[in-house]
Amino acid sequence: MAIRVAGIVGSLREGSLNKGLLRAAVELAPADMEIDIYSRLGAIPPYNDDVFQKGDPPTVADFKNFVSGAEAILISTPEYNYGVPGVLKNAIDWASRPAGKSVLNRKPAAIMGCSPGLGGTIRAQHAIRQSFVFTETHAMLQPEIKIPSAAPLFDGSSKLIDENTRQHVKKFLEAFAAWIARFRN
């Protein structure tokens, strides 16, 4: 039985390197892993508990169904101003509700990211891990993918072309498959 993974990109940019990184993960995933990429993150409205109390808007329900239907989550995120991009944090906030019954509860996850700068998304990944404490989402600790100065590793269409990095992603996904197996019933 294939492992279904919900792929989520923390960037809305069409030419995002992190979209390219997640597309590379789709290509390089182990044979028993299927990564589906969620492409409508920007349509999710800002979290508002008054709205939540009345029921999830359709775009939020769509996102929650996407995550719920997956066995695990793979996030590829940039880092904005030393933190998580607002659109990604907003989606996590919506998905974390209702408390104790969230689609994120106790789900295995992995976080990766790349940046044209020197930080390599270290702080954004750490902040996502902090958000996952609330939902008891089991974020894989090692190996990590936090790629600094990433632009030369991709071509003009944001395709990951650097073979060393592709092999690193492949090993990361193999470790993620083993991580997911630890939480299977």
Side-chain angles (χ1 to χ4, degrees), residues 2-168:
I3 303 166
R4 185 176 175 284
V5 176
I8 302 167
V9 180
S11 174
L12 300 178
R13 288 186 52 245
E14 194 55 42
S16 163
L17 298 179
N18 282 283
K19 281 184 183 177
L21 184 60
L22 192 53
R23 284 193 305 265
V26 170
E27 294 171 18
L28 299 167
D32 64 341
M33 181 182 285
E34 178 184 316
I35 303 170
D36 296 319
I37 300 175
Y38 191 79
S39 61
R40 298 172 298 283
L41 212 59
I44 297 173
Y47 180 78
N48 179 331
D49 198 59
D50 292 337
V51 174
F52 168 71
Q53 295 301 325
K54 294 174 186 171
D56 290 337
T59 53
V60 172
D62 178 63
F63 179 66
K64 286 182 177 182
N65 285 335
F66 179 79
V67 172
S68 177
E71 188 173 349
I73 306 158
L74 175 60
I75 295 174
S76 181
T77 187
E79 180 173 296
Y80 295 164
N81 301 316
Y82 289 8
V84 180
V87 69
L88 178 57
K89 179 62 168 81
N90 181 58
I92 291 170
D93 289 343
W94 273 110
S96 72
R97 301 291 187 256
K101 297 179 184 169
S102 158
V103 297
L104 299 172
N105 279 15
R106 291 175 281 297
K107 199 170 281 255
I111 307 163
M112 60 183 184
C114 60
S115 170
L118 297 177
T121 74
I122 295 167
R123 290 177 283 263
Q125 290 188 37
H126 180 70
I128 292 168
R129 290 175 192 282
Q130 288 177 311
S131 293
F132 282 166
V133 169
F134 178 75
T135 57
E136 297 180 53
T137 303
H138 304 292
M140 183 172 74
L141 301 173
Q142 294 290 330
E144 295 179 293
I145 293 188
K146 49 189 186 319
I147 307 165
S149 306
L153 308 176
F154 294 82
D155 69 11
S157 65
S158 300
K159 178 178 173 65
L160 181 61
I161 56 172
D162 181 74
E163 193 53 40
N164 287 336
T165 305
R166 290 178 67 82
Q167 290 306 310
H168 187 56

Side-chain angles (χ1 to χ4, degrees), residues 165-179:
T165 305
R166 290 178 67 82
Q167 290 306 310
H168 187 56
V169 170
K170 188 174 182 178
K171 289 176 184 170
F172 175 84
L173 294 169
E174 290 166 357
F176 187 35
W179 180 254

